[in-house]
Amino acid sequence: MQLTSSPMTSSFLIHFFVLFALCFKAKAVIKLPPNVSVPAVIAFGDSIVDSGNNNHLKTLVKCNFPPYGKDFQGGVPTGRFCNGKIPSDILAEELGIKGYVPAYLDPNLKPSDLLTGVGFASGASGYDPLTPQIASVIPLSSQLDMFKEYIGKLKGMVGEERTNFILSNSLFVLVGGSDDIANTYFIAHARLQYDVPAYADLMSTSATNFVKEIYNLGARRIAVLGAPPIGCVPSQRTLAGGIVRECAEKYNDAAKLFNIKLSKELDSLSHSSPNSRIVYIDVYTPLLDIILNYQKYGFKVVDRGCCGTGKLEVAVLCNPFDTTCSNASEYVFWDSYHPTERAYRNLVDGVLQKYLSRLI
């Protein structure tokens, strides 16, 4: 993607958008301490924070069509694997940065978007290099290359000093592991040479190495989300939960083992990385609590998604020909794999309350 304009207007437009981004702020929900600034939210990883990068790929893992985006601004399907906003959007909104975090590959991306954060994530990507290869999506190595390009564009717009400030103070979010565990390891059986502990080692080492890479490029506030209880999402209940569609515990056990290893590696990395705030974020426990006690949170349906039967539909299988529930906020899951915006908001609120002080 290239940001282009006519020679006569390019300088004016860049200065206008830079001024606009520096002056405009969304209304913050979270009150930050005095003298603390979080200028941007920048996301890497998989479909949980993919805001539309997969739209531009030759892959089946897409969602830039109805009913996706049913509750997004204007009801527009943007390529977010959700009925509305995804966690990176909600984080930017709650921190008072902007209403949503656009995809880096969005052809309508404006210079001002770069200053306040973009998403490099790609649905169905993962820490295992084989995972994005199977799905024909963007691997973490290419997300890193796009991030390097992004840094170059920032420097061209606001100079090196301001770029370094943005990088060192922004909130970086990394999400992965679900597709590695569910798709590559258990469904495709593509890593038969590994037992679960060895595969968890592969994943956690890859995740930690990626964090090292973005730290070396200037990132300091880095939130790394652990794997969720992947065995309890509707699709895995259908595929591996037996006739009564219970949570598939072998998937959950793999996620828990990965999370233990990832947490330890990130803790060690944090201690050896000066001025860093590298924080492992436990999403397994709060999401499992929502799943097990969904009625307490005001949800009515937990074992299927809002789209279609809710048991298998995701990406191209969740499409305009499917019947969609009338009120997605009653469901924990939007499709058979991804939570609804309301479920995400529950999670993000809890994450901010628990971890924000460690990240800033």
Side-chain angles (χ1 to χ4, degrees):
M1 184 207 71
Q2 293 182 335
L3 299 173
T4 59
S5 56
S6 69
M8 294 184 65
T9 61
S10 61
S11 177
F12 170 78
L13 285 173
I14 287 175
H15 282 90
F16 171 79
F17 283 124
V18 168
L19 182 65
F20 178 84
L22 293 176
C23 293
F24 176 78
K25 285 278 187 180
K27 186 177 180 182
V29 176
I30 297 294
K31 187 171 176 60
L32 295 173
N35 303 318
V36 170
S37 173
V38 182
V41 169
I42 297 171
F44 300 96
D46 61 21
S47 57
I48 302 301
V49 287
D50 180 358
S51 48
N53 287 311
N54 277 20
N55 296 355
H56 313 283
L57 307 179
K58 290 182 179 178
T59 177
L60 292 175
V61 189
K62 289 187 179 184
C63 58
N64 54 337
F65 42 79
Y68 285 97
K70 180 167 98 69
D71 301 305
F72 196 70
Q73 298 167 351
V76 178
T78 59
R80 287 167 170 81
F81 290 81
C82 191
N83 62 303
K85 291 186 177 185
I86 54 177
S88 46
D89 300 323
I90 298 166
L91 282 168
E93 175 191 315
E94 300 248 319
L95 291 168
I97 298 168
K98 57 184 175 182
Y100 60 92
V101 177
Y104 182 67
L105 296 181
D106 184 345
N108 298 312
L109 196 71
K110 302 184 294 293
S112 58
D113 292 320
L114 300 179
L115 297 170
T116 50
V118 290
F120 300 97
S122 177
S125 196
Y127 295 127
D128 180 351
L130 190 56
T131 299
Q133 188 179 329
I134 290 171
S136 299
V137 297
I138 306 170
L140 282 177
S141 58
S142 296
Q143 293 182 36
L144 188 67
D145 289 338
M146 291 193 293
F147 179 52
K148 291 174 181 176
E149 180 185 73
Y150 160 84
I151 293 172
K153 289 178 179 178
L154 269 189
K155 288 179 178 177
M157 290 171 60
V158 296
E160 189 156 353
E161 185 178 344
R162 180 66 189 176
T163 295
N164 291 339
F165 176 86
I166 291 171
L167 294 176
S168 61
N169 289 280
S170 294
L171 178 59
F172 289 78
V173 181
L174 174 61
V175 185
S178 296
D179 294 283
D180 299 311
I181 293 168
N183 300 334
T184 304
Y185 193 81
F186 282 114
I187 295 175
H189 301 292
R191 290 294 195 183
L192 293 175
Q193 69 271 41
Y194 294 93
D195 60 11
V196 170
Y199 193 64
D201 282 334
L202 181 154
M203 292 166 57
S204 60
T205 299
S206 173
T208 305
N209 286 339
F210 184 84
V211 173
K212 286 179 186 175
E213 293 273 13
I214 62 172
Y215 172 83
N216 289 335
L217 290 168
R220 292 295 178 266
R221 296 170 172 166
I222 307 170
V224 184
L225 276 62
I230 188 69
C232 293
V233 305
S235 60
Q236 307 316 316
R237 287 176 183 258
T238 301
L239 294 169
I243 195 166
V244 294
R245 298 181 65 249
E246 294 178 324
C247 291
E249 290 307 324
K250 65 180 181 179
Y251 290 61
N252 286 351
D253 289 343
K256 286 187 284 189
L257 183 59
F258 164 66
N259 289 342
I260 291 168
K261 292 175 181 289
L262 178 65
S263 178
K264 287 180 179 177
E265 287 201 39
L266 292 175
D267 189 50
S268 175
L269 179 61
S270 179
H271 283 101
S272 63
S273 305
N275 302 315
S276 71
R277 289 180 176 265
I278 299 167
V279 180
Y280 166 79
I281 307 292
D282 172 26
V283 294
Y284 186 102
T285 305
L287 182 54
L288 185 63
D289 189 58
I290 292 173
I291 290 168
L292 295 178
N293 303 292
Y294 63 98
Q295 290 172 316
K296 181 182 81 175
Y297 291 89
F299 295 104
K300 294 183 178 179
V301 183
V302 71
D303 63 346
R304 55 191 172 88
C306 170
C307 184
T309 66
K311 295 178 179 179
L312 274 175
E313 294 87 346
V314 63
V316 294
L317 296 179
C318 171
N319 56 56
F321 302 103
D322 281 318
T323 303
T324 306
C325 72
S326 58
N327 185 2
S329 67
E330 295 178 345
Y331 285 65
V332 174
F333 291 95
W334 161 247
D335 57 23
S336 71
Y337 206 89
H338 304 95
T340 56
E341 178 182 330
R342 181 162 174 245
Y344 278 142
R345 286 191 179 276
N346 270 279
L347 283 171
V348 171
D349 286 348
V351 163
L352 286 172
Q353 288 175 28
K354 184 174 180 179
Y355 296 102
L356 186 63
S357 61
R358 292 173 55 192
L359 285 162
I360 62 171

